[in-house]
Every structure is written in C-alpha cells, then in structure tokens.
Amino acid sequence: MPITPRTLSGFKDRLPKEAYAKSQMLKSIVTSFEKFGFSPIETPHLEYAEILKKQGSDEIQKEMYHFIDHGGREVALRFDLTLPLARFISQYKNELGLPFKRYCIGNVFRGERAQKGRYREFTQCDFDFIGTQSIGSDAEIIQVIFQSLSDLGLKNFTIHINNRKIFNGLCESLNAKEDTTEILRIIDKIDKIGQDSVSKELQEKTSLTLTQIQTLLDFIALKQEGDSLKFLSLLSPYKAYNQTLKEGLEELESLCEILAPLIPQSFYQINLSIARGLGYYTGIIYETTLGDLPTLGSVCSGGRYDNLTQNFSNEKMSGVGASIGLDRLLAGLEELGLITSSTPAKAILIPLNNLQYAYTTAKSLRELGIKIEVYPEVIKPQKAFKYANNKGYEWVIITGESEQATHSASLKNMQNGEQQNQLSLEKIADILK
Amino acid sequence: MPITPRTLSGFKDRLPKEAYAKSQMLKSIVTSFEKFGFSPIETPHLEYAEILKKQGSDEIQKEMYHFIDHGGREVALRFDLTLPLARFISQYKNELGLPFKRYCIGNVFRGERAQKGRYREFTQCDFDFIGTQSIGSDAEIIQVIFQSLSDLGLKNFTIHINNRKIFNGLCESLNAKEDTTEILRIIDKIDKIGQDSVSKELQEKTSLTLTQIQTLLDFIALKQEGDSLKFLSLLSPYKAYNQTLKEGLEELESLCEILAPLIPQSFYQINLSIARGLGYYTGIIYETTLGDLPTLGSVCSGGRYDNLTQNFSNEKMSGVGASIGLDRLLAGLEELGLITSSTPAKAILIPLNNLQYAYTTAKSLRELGIKIEVYPEVIKPQKAFKYANNKGYEWVIITGESEQATHSASLKNMQNGEQQNQLSLEKIADILK
C-alpha cells in the first residue's frame, strides 16, 4: 500500500520560488551582520531537556518537543536560540573571549496549536552582543537593524526605542514595584486591545488606582515630535522622580547621541509605549515596524538583558541582542514587491537537436558570468516554452541546427515574446547582464 | 543549583572560526549549484515516522530518532534528505513540473554509536535531477561536482565513474543475478579490506566459484590509461556478453562524449571497482577523491536511481543526484590550507578615547566597502591588541585623540607589528582591500 505523502500539521515545505526568496533574504541579512563583525555559531537542534527547561514561559514549556533518546536521556528540540546561546556562552566563555558577538540562524520547534501563519517549526535569526554594558553595544544592535533592513531594499521603517528602566522607575514612583512584571505584560497588549481594555485589566489585576493608571497611560502616550534628543530633553523633569527613571532617560540620551550621526532620524524614535512583554529585558528595548505595512507588527525586536546565563552560573552576564522575524519579514517583502527573481538561473537553454552543443554553449555562457539551466533532453520548442514559463524564466536560449552551424544561439524574451536569432554568446551575455 | 552546560554525546557546537569556515564553504557550494539553475527547497526536520520508515537500511532504521508528539502522532527526525525529497516530489509533482532539479542543505539525525569524527547530527548537501532519463542529466551532475570543488579552490581531485549495469551484466554472465546485491555490498569494501578479504567473503556468502570470483576481480581491476573514451573502446568486446553489459558500456560512452569538452580529462576517469553499496542505485554512479588526501575517502558521491518514489506511488520516477560530504570536505580543505580567513570582518576598530568618533569612523569605512568590528568600550591599547589577537584579527584600526583631531585613524598590522599613524580613511580602505 503506498503511503500518502504529507507533512505533519503545523509543518511546512517550501517550494523553489519561496525557498529561493528566503535564501536570498538570508544571504543579504548575513552580509549585513558581517559588515559589523558578527560571527556565526552553530549549536545542535537537540539538547538535554533540562538545558531548555527552566527558563521560558510556561506555555513554551508545554509546547516543547521532548522525548527519551536511545541512551535513556531526556532530550528536547530547541524552541529558541537564546537558551542554547546561554549554554554555549557558559560553556566556552574563556575560549571565546568577552565581549563576544555572534549571529545564529536556525530552526526552532514549538508544538503550539496550529493556526494560520503560525508554524510548529520556524526559522529564527538572532544577533547578540554579550559581556559588555557599553551603550555603544546597544547602539550597534540598532545600527545593525537599520543596516539589515536597508540592505533588503526597505526605505520606510521605524525603530521604536524605549528603556525598561523608565517603566520600572515609573512603577516605583507609583509604589507598584511588585506589580511591574504584570503591568508590563498588560501594557504590551496596548496596540492589540486598546487603551480602555488595558486600563480595565490594570484595575482588575494590579494594585494601581484609577488615577495612577491614568498617569501611567498619559505618560506612555507622550509622542516624540522633532528629533529624539529634543524629546528626551522635554522628559528631563522626570529624572527627579527617582534614580531608576533618571538612569533610564540618561541611557536613552547617550544612545541617541551615538545614533544621531549614524542613522537618519526618520528611521528611529523614542516610543514610551514599547514594553516587550518578555520578563528578561532590563534596559533599552526596541521594536521595528514597516511604514507601508502598519498592521504587520514588529519585524525586528530586542533589547538588553542582565542575566542571560542564570541557569548555568551565579555570575551575572549582561548582553544585548535582537531577532529578525524572518517569516513575517518575508511576507512583508513579498507584499511590497521587493522580491522579484524566482529562479537562481537567469535563463534556460533549450536544445532543439544536439545535447552536446547545448552543454558546451551553456558552459561558455557560465564562463561569461551567466547562471544558466539546460533542459536535459532534445525537445520541441512549444513544449520547452511551456516548461520555461512554468518555472518562471524570463529568458530562453535556443540552440538548433542553424545556431550550431554558426556557433551562436538564439534568445527569446518570454515576457514580450521577442526572439533574436543567432546571436554571439558575448552578445547574449551582455543582454542578460 | 546551576545546571552543567554541556551538549548531548555525539552532538557538536561550532565556535565562530569553524562556523564561519563552514558558512563560507556553503556559500561557495550554493553559488556553484545555482550556476546550473538548481533551486533550493526546504522540508521540515520532523516528519511522520512512516514517511521515513520503509526505505533505508535496517541499521539506519534502528538509529532513527522517533517519538510520540503532543497530538499522539508517531514522528521522527529525518536521517537523510532523500526520503523527504521522495515525499516532496510525490506530493507536488504537478506543481513543480518535471524534470525538476533542486538542491537541499540541511541537518539530519542518526543515533549511531558515538565515535571520533562521526556525529549524531550532521549537515547534508544534496543536489538531484528528477524525472529525466537523459544521459545529459547524469553529465550535468558530474559537471556540478567538478564546478563545486573547483570553486572551493581544489585543483587536484578525481571523479571515479562506473555504471551499475556493468556489474549487473557481469553477475548475469556469471549466472549470479540473485546474488548481485550481496556481491555489490562486499565489493564496495575493497578499498577498506583489500582484494583477498573480498575474495574470501565472496566465497563464503555468495554462490560464486573461485574462478568466477577471479574473473570478477580481474575485471574490476582493469585500470583506465589514456582518456576515458579510449578505455571504453578497449572494453567494447564485453558488450557481446549480454544486453545489460552493452547498455552499461554504451551509457558510459555517451556520458564521456558529453563530458569531453566540459571537464578536463585529468579530473575524471572510468573506475570499474566503484560499487556504491546502497541498494537503490541503478545506473551510472560516481565517487570523488582528493589527490592530496588519498585516505580521506569520497567527498562527493552519487548516481542514478529508478525508483525514488516507490513508497508513495506505483509510478516509476527516475532521477540522478549526488551529495557532498560536508564535514569531510571541510576537514580536507582545512588540512590543505584552503580555509584562511577566520573573521567575517577585515579589521577591528579600537576606541582609545571617544566612542562616537569610533562609530562614525567605522560607518565611513563600511561605506568604503570594509567590514569592520568596533570594540564597544573605550579601552587601553595593550588590552585591545590582546583581544584582537585572540579573535584572529590581522588588522587593528585605532582612533584616539590625535586621530579625531585630524579626522583620521591609525592602522596596525598584527602579524608584523607595523603601525601607520593618522591615515585617511580612504587610504585605510585601499590597504585593507
């Protein structure tokens, strides 16, 4: 009995066009990372379950794929790249030398309920700078976000920047320090559920009074106008509230002083409502939205954390990093028409009579810098054009008897149907370039 | 209690230097594949266990990582990229359009006994041409092997080519058709265990007589001298033995006629002892050895198969493909000194007094095409040089007070210790290029 070919629910194949678009996108992102000296590392997909167990929200723990292996060990598939990084840093910190920066692109697994656009296996794309508290490293991560998105051809996006310390200081000033995590979690939903629902939930689930909630909501609703440093100077009076608020605002000032000559102001702004729900951020945080696709959500988020390696050591290890939401960004680039080519090769060569002449012609064209597929059989033109169309080729090169006799090839543009006969290979290479 | 940071037995981390070397190698290989119009595809790491179960040797089945997932499904981690390809082709063949060629680079998992240089998770690098019996597709796969290895800088390697049909025809002529698979399995070990042990094992485990064994061993010991087509013409008399042998030899003739103008003869040869133990090959087969590292084994092997999708359909689907042994090849390139750069960035910039000037200088150098890391804190020169050395940097750029005053930077070569002071950034970019 034949088996029905199928993937597991929540898992996804990528056909050539999509896989090629993704690979082109990754190539661009990797180049951007490497411009700043980030190095790749690799860790296994499978780890001891206990390495991945302690951190992470309860939900993620439930979603973890774990099982007993051949040797009786409890093992698990990684559900992010952060916990493996924490293990990696703890294990090799002497060899690596701190500060240490790395990028890591890899698949992670979460057995969450299947839903549209969410997959149980997906690719993460993380870059982190470990072992330094310098505000320069925060600035650099933001610079890398700017560079990566610019290199992908995006011209209209905003990096929204905030500092956890501002939130913490604000909660402190409202005598609600113990509720900070819960307040953050609720505030984080403001874009999704709106100010009224956030206010209601804060009343129900925290110790804040209605007046305090209004103070908080008024503060985070303050919008930057003009440049970031000017906005920060308007916020200066808040420094008097407490040391935490002071630090938070001063760090943002230092950051923006470094950023000013590096990134055009139109690409970043202070946004006091950015909360980043995850518990582990402790300093400057950011999210990135595309101006032309406001409902897409953040395509690159991150921030500073102070306790990366807490599962493995009592030593504090500070770091700063961000993660590009690859699938979301790919969907965005497609919607914006920034993904154009669908075939790695520029053209397909069709042999009408002689395979050997076809292969030597293709070889010569490759030596002239043209990527080229060869149809592997002698074929009739109409059938070949249909095949080329189906594969998404813009150009078809034809070699028949007359071309072979004149050491040439013919070139057909599939979009307008125009065919130029018996061109020299140099001429074809020029046209295709 | 802190958890001890460690990987599972048989699993491996890659630190930056090694991970970067591997990524550079993959980048080169992908470019080679794309020159021929191979497109990438992606399939999940996790599949229904039954998709992976039927094929594969018993040993591989035992080594498969399989478990019950959250939804009660029996799932397994892929142990190769071939079975997922068979599933993929069966599932999408109408959308893809045949013939179809793809490459796939991904990790696979086998719980085999841990031993030196063998890992339970490793990267495969497959390229296949499905749905055509044209000898042109066999030739192209061999051409891609040649191109990939040449693009990696290798200048001394041999692609050993044989045809399963020659073996099959030979066994037929010895009235040992039923024993063919067993004979192949034993012959496949000839490089490892030698002719005498092979002879002994053939006596014990097959129906062949000693005379027949000698005939077989004499035949496969025939060595190509001169060019491949000349050698094949010397083998012509064997065509008379039976139809299978005739086909096998004629296919090799057609192949070598196509290859002659495409690949220099010194890079390939007919080798009658190549067996490729795996049951599923049915036609032309090949292995590739490096001339400078004769004991390394084959770095790229493959061949033609006729029944890729047998688990999923009764329809026969012919294909031809090969796989680059990435880890082995990486070890080989390292041994041959073909892996040189260890850092993605060309230089590290050290700020002696002002972070802001450091970052703007780095930005300008990046705009001049130089990949550059910035040390994220103001630092003393000696500490900085130690850090740069440890990371493997050849060049250090220094910005202190005097550089800032003159809008310049200083450049130190870490290999000879020479330092050039206060150079213009254009000058530095020229030197680093």
Side-chain angles (χ1 to χ4, degrees):
Chain A
M1 260 295 281
I3 298 166
T4 308
R6 68 210 189 282
T7 49
L8 288 159
S9 166
F11 287 78
K12 185 178 164 57
D13 292 317
R14 282 189 202 267
L15 273 68
K17 192 177 167 184
E18 196 185 346
Y20 182 61
K22 184 177 165 188
S23 76
Q24 290 299 97
M25 191 174 139
L26 282 176
K27 198 168 153 182
S28 168
I29 289 171
V30 162
T31 305
S32 310
F33 290 169
E34 294 186 346
K35 283 181 186 169
F36 291 80
F38 283 77
S39 295
I41 67 162
E42 274 184 38
T43 65
H45 288 78
L46 215 55
E47 298 263 4
Y48 278 102
E50 68 164 1
I51 299 280
L52 308 181
K53 256 188 172 172
K54 275 199 177 170
Q55 278 188 357
S57 71
D58 282 347
E59 209 168 335
I60 288 178
Q61 292 292 320
K62 258 187 284 173
E63 294 165 359
M64 188 164 77
Y65 285 92
H66 59 105
F67 59 97
I68 307 294
D69 79 356
H70 308 79
R73 289 166 285 250
E74 199 193 347
V75 300
L77 287 164
R78 63 186 182 194
F79 58 81
D80 71 10
L81 301 175
T82 305
L83 279 166
L85 171 65
R87 194 231 347 118
F88 184 90
I89 293 281
S90 306
Q91 201 166 335
Y92 308 106
K93 61 172 179 283
N94 296 330
E95 270 174 85
L96 295 171
L98 297 178
F100 168 69
K101 49 206 236 187
R102 77 90 177 83
Y103 69 85
C104 187
I105 294 166
N107 282 16
V108 302
F109 304 80
R110 295 181 190 174
E112 53 187 340
R113 206 163 50 80
Q115 47 180 309
K116 195 174 173 298
R118 303 276 287 187
Y119 294 99
R120 289 177 174 160
E121 175 177 359
F122 55 98
T123 307
Q124 285 198 334
C125 193
D126 285 17
F127 50 109
D128 289 84
F129 205 149
I130 315 292
T132 172
Q133 302 216 344
S134 164
I135 212 82
S137 60
D138 296 81
E140 185 171 282
I141 295 289
I142 292 171
Q143 227 190 324
V144 173
I145 297 175
F146 171 72
Q147 187 78 49
S148 304
L149 298 185
S150 299
D151 289 349
L152 284 168
L154 289 164
K155 291 188 174 64
N156 181 9
F157 58 89
T158 307
I159 307 170
H160 305 267
I161 304 172
N162 197 5
N163 194 335
R164 265 292 168 82
K165 289 182 184 171
I166 294 178
F167 254 117
N168 295 346
L170 219 54
C171 290
E172 244 176 272
S173 75
L174 299 170
N175 288 315
K177 208 173 165 180
E178 291 73 36
D179 283 346
T180 306
T181 308
E182 185 66 5
I183 294 171
L184 271 173
R185 197 188 58 75
I186 298 168
I187 294 280
D188 195 34
K189 299 194 280 186
I190 200 159
D191 280 349
K192 278 188 202 152
I193 64 175
Q195 219 176 14
D196 289 350
S197 304
V198 163
S199 171
K200 210 174 143 214
E201 203 172 331
L202 286 171
Q203 285 173 62
E204 286 165 6
K205 297 191 180 157
T206 72
S207 63
L208 295 179
T209 66
L210 199 53
T211 320
Q212 288 179 319
I213 291 171
Q214 207 46 55
T215 306
L216 189 66
L217 293 178
D218 286 349
F219 179 81
I220 67 171
L222 292 172
K223 289 271 169 284
Q224 172 179 329
E225 278 165 35
D227 69 33
S228 297
L229 283 166
K230 191 183 146 212
F231 181 56
L232 287 168
S233 74
L234 295 175
L235 296 174
S236 259
Y238 287 95
K239 288 183 194 170
Y241 279 40
N242 54 49
Q243 182 58 23
T244 316
L245 249 170
K246 185 166 181 277
E247 268 180 42
L249 288 165
E250 285 177 353
E251 282 176 12
L252 286 182
E253 283 166 8
S254 305
L255 178 78
C256 291
E257 274 163 20
I258 296 179
L259 289 182
L262 302 178
I263 307 180
Q265 176 69 63
S266 59
F267 288 95
Y268 68 97
Q269 63 179 38
I270 304 297
N271 183 333
L272 300 169
S273 74
I274 297 296
R276 304 294 311 137
L278 285 170
Y280 61 81
Y281 290 115
T282 51
I284 291 168
I285 50 178
Y286 24 85
E287 294 183 354
T288 312
T289 55
L290 304 188
D292 301 319
L293 299 170
T295 59
L296 190 70
S298 175
V299 295
C300 185
S301 312
R304 174 166 294 281
Y305 41 82
D306 272 332
N307 217 347
L308 178 68
T309 54
Q310 61 181 355
N311 284 4
F312 307 105
S313 145
N314 297 321
E315 194 188 339
K316 288 250 176 184
M317 180 87 74
S318 184
V320 54
S323 184
I324 293 179
L326 210 66
D327 297 286
R328 188 177 282 182
L329 190 53
L330 182 58
L333 292 175
E334 266 173 356
E335 207 171 324
L336 294 173
L338 290 172
I339 285 168
T340 45
S341 60
S342 61
T343 53
K346 191 81 187 168
I348 182 164
L349 189 147
I350 302 295
L352 298 189
N353 73 325
N354 182 312
L355 273 187
Q356 232 169 322
Y357 182 68
Y359 282 111
T360 51
T361 304
K363 179 177 187 259
S364 303
L365 283 166
R366 279 187 203 111
E367 284 163 0
L368 293 167
I370 306 297
K371 293 177 178 172
I372 183 165
E373 177 170 355
V374 178
Y375 193 88
E377 296 165 21
V378 169
I379 186 177
K380 294 239 175 333
Q382 289 319 311
K383 199 181 156 202
F385 294 147
K386 208 177 143 193
Y387 179 86
N389 249 333
N390 181 34
K391 299 274 172 181
Y393 277 109
E394 189 187 340
W395 297 98
V396 173
I397 296 165
I398 302 150
T399 56
E401 223 169 300
S402 51
E403 285 85 1
Q404 189 175 355
T406 53
H407 297 288
S408 69
S410 299
L411 181 68
K412 187 181 172 86
N413 182 309
M414 296 299 283
Q415 284 177 334
N416 59 22
E418 270 174 31
Q419 182 168 327
Q420 295 171 272
N421 288 325
Q422 297 181 38
L423 301 177
S424 73
L425 303 189
E426 290 74 17
K427 177 78 183 162
I428 290 178
D430 280 349
I431 296 172
L432 295 186
K433 275 173 187 164
Chain B
M1 261 295 281
I3 298 166
T4 309
R6 67 209 190 282
T7 50
L8 288 160
S9 166
F11 287 78
K12 186 176 162 58
D13 292 317
R14 283 188 202 269
L15 272 65
K17 191 177 169 184
E18 195 184 348
Y20 182 61
K22 184 177 164 188
S23 76
Q24 290 298 98
M25 191 175 141
L26 282 176
K27 199 168 152 182
S28 169
I29 289 171
V30 162
T31 305
S32 310
F33 290 169
E34 294 187 345
K35 283 181 185 169
F36 291 81
F38 283 77
S39 295
I41 68 162
E42 272 183 40
T43 65
H45 288 78
L46 215 55
E47 298 263 4
Y48 278 103
E50 68 164 0
I51 299 280
L52 308 181
K53 256 186 173 172
K54 276 200 176 169
Q55 278 187 357
S57 71
D58 283 350
E59 207 167 337
I60 287 179
Q61 293 291 321
K62 257 187 283 171
E63 293 166 359
M64 188 162 77
Y65 284 92
H66 59 104
F67 60 97
I68 307 294
D69 79 355
H70 307 80
R73 291 167 284 251
E74 199 192 348
V75 300
L77 286 165
R78 64 187 181 193
F79 59 81
D80 71 10
L81 301 175
T82 305
L83 280 166
L85 172 64
R87 198 249 319 135
F88 184 91
I89 293 283
S90 307
Q91 200 166 335
Y92 307 105
K93 61 173 180 281
N94 296 331
E95 270 173 84
L96 295 171
L98 296 178
F100 169 68
K101 49 206 236 189
R102 77 91 178 83
Y103 69 85
C104 189
I105 294 167
N107 282 17
V108 301
F109 304 81
R110 295 180 191 175
E112 54 186 339
R113 205 161 51 79
Q115 48 182 310
K116 198 178 171 297
R118 303 276 287 187
Y119 293 98
R120 289 177 173 160
E121 173 177 359
F122 55 97
T123 308
Q124 285 198 334
C125 194
D126 284 18
F127 49 109
D128 288 84
F129 205 150
I130 315 291
T132 173
Q133 303 217 344
S134 164
I135 212 82
S137 60
D138 297 80
E140 185 170 281
I141 294 290
I142 292 170
Q143 226 188 325
V144 174
I145 297 175
F146 171 71
Q147 187 78 48
S148 305
L149 298 185
S150 300
D151 289 349
L152 284 168
L154 288 164
K155 292 187 172 64
N156 180 10
F157 57 89
T158 307
I159 307 169
H160 304 267
I161 305 171
N162 197 5
N163 193 337
R164 264 291 167 83
K165 289 181 182 170
I166 294 177
F167 254 116
N168 295 346
L170 218 55
C171 290
E172 244 177 270
S173 76
L174 299 170
N175 289 316
K177 209 173 163 179
E178 291 73 35
D179 282 344
T180 307
T181 308
E182 185 65 5
I183 294 172
L184 270 173
R185 199 187 57 76
I186 298 168
I187 294 280
D188 194 33
K189 300 193 280 187
I190 199 160
D191 280 348
K192 277 189 204 149
I193 63 174
Q195 218 175 17
D196 290 350
S197 304
V198 162
S199 171
K200 209 172 143 213
E201 202 171 331
L202 286 171
Q203 286 173 62
E204 286 166 6
K205 299 193 178 157
T206 73
S207 62
L208 295 179
T209 65
L210 200 54
T211 320
Q212 288 179 319
I213 290 171
Q214 206 47 56
T215 307
L216 189 66
L217 293 179
D218 285 349
F219 179 80
I220 66 172
L222 292 171
K223 288 273 169 279
Q224 172 179 327
E225 278 165 36
D227 70 32
S228 296
L229 284 166
K230 189 181 148 214
F231 181 57
L232 286 167
S233 74
L234 295 175
L235 296 175
S236 258
Y238 287 95
K239 289 184 194 169
Y241 277 41
N242 53 49
Q243 182 59 24
T244 316
L245 250 170
K246 183 164 181 279
E247 268 180 41
L249 287 165
E250 284 177 354
E251 283 175 11
L252 286 182
E253 281 166 11
S254 305
L255 179 79
C256 290
E257 274 162 19
I258 296 179
L259 289 182
L262 302 178
I263 305 181
Q265 175 69 65
S266 59
F267 288 96
Y268 68 97
Q269 63 177 38
I270 305 297
N271 183 333
L272 299 170
S273 74
I274 297 296
R276 305 294 311 136
L278 285 170
Y280 61 81
Y281 290 115
T282 52
I284 291 169
I285 49 177
Y286 23 86
E287 294 183 354
T288 312
T289 54
L290 304 187
D292 301 318
L293 298 171
T295 58
L296 190 70
S298 175
V299 295
C300 185
S301 312
R304 174 166 293 283
Y305 41 83
D306 273 331
N307 217 347
L308 178 67
T309 55
Q310 63 182 355
N311 284 4
F312 307 105
S313 149
N314 297 321
E315 193 187 340
K316 287 250 178 186
M317 181 86 73
S318 184
V320 54
S323 185
I324 293 179
L326 209 66
D327 297 284
R328 187 176 282 182
L329 190 52
L330 182 57
L333 291 175
E334 267 173 355
E335 206 170 325
L336 294 172
L338 290 171
I339 285 168
T340 43
S341 61
S342 62
T343 52
K346 191 81 188 167
I348 183 165
L349 188 146
I350 302 297
L352 298 189
N353 73 325
N354 183 313
L355 272 185
Q356 232 170 321
Y357 182 67
Y359 282 112
T360 51
T361 303
K363 179 177 186 256
S364 304
L365 284 166
R366 279 187 202 110
E367 283 163 1
L368 293 166
I370 306 299
K371 294 178 178 171
I372 183 164
E373 178 170 356
V374 178
Y375 193 88
E377 296 165 22
V378 169
I379 186 177
K380 294 238 177 331
Q382 288 320 312
K383 198 180 156 202
F385 294 148
K386 208 177 142 193
Y387 179 85
N389 249 334
N390 179 34
K391 299 274 172 179
Y393 278 106
E394 189 185 342
W395 297 96
V396 173
I397 296 164
I398 302 151
T399 57
E401 224 169 300
S402 51
E403 284 85 1
Q404 189 175 354
T406 53
H407 298 287
S408 69
S410 298
L411 181 68
K412 186 182 172 86
N413 182 309
M414 296 298 284
Q415 285 177 334
N416 59 22
E418 271 174 31
Q419 183 168 327
Q420 295 170 271
N421 287 324
Q422 298 181 36
L423 301 177
S424 73
L425 303 188
E426 290 73 19
K427 177 77 184 161
I428 290 178
D430 280 350
I431 296 173
L432 295 187
K433 274 173 186 163

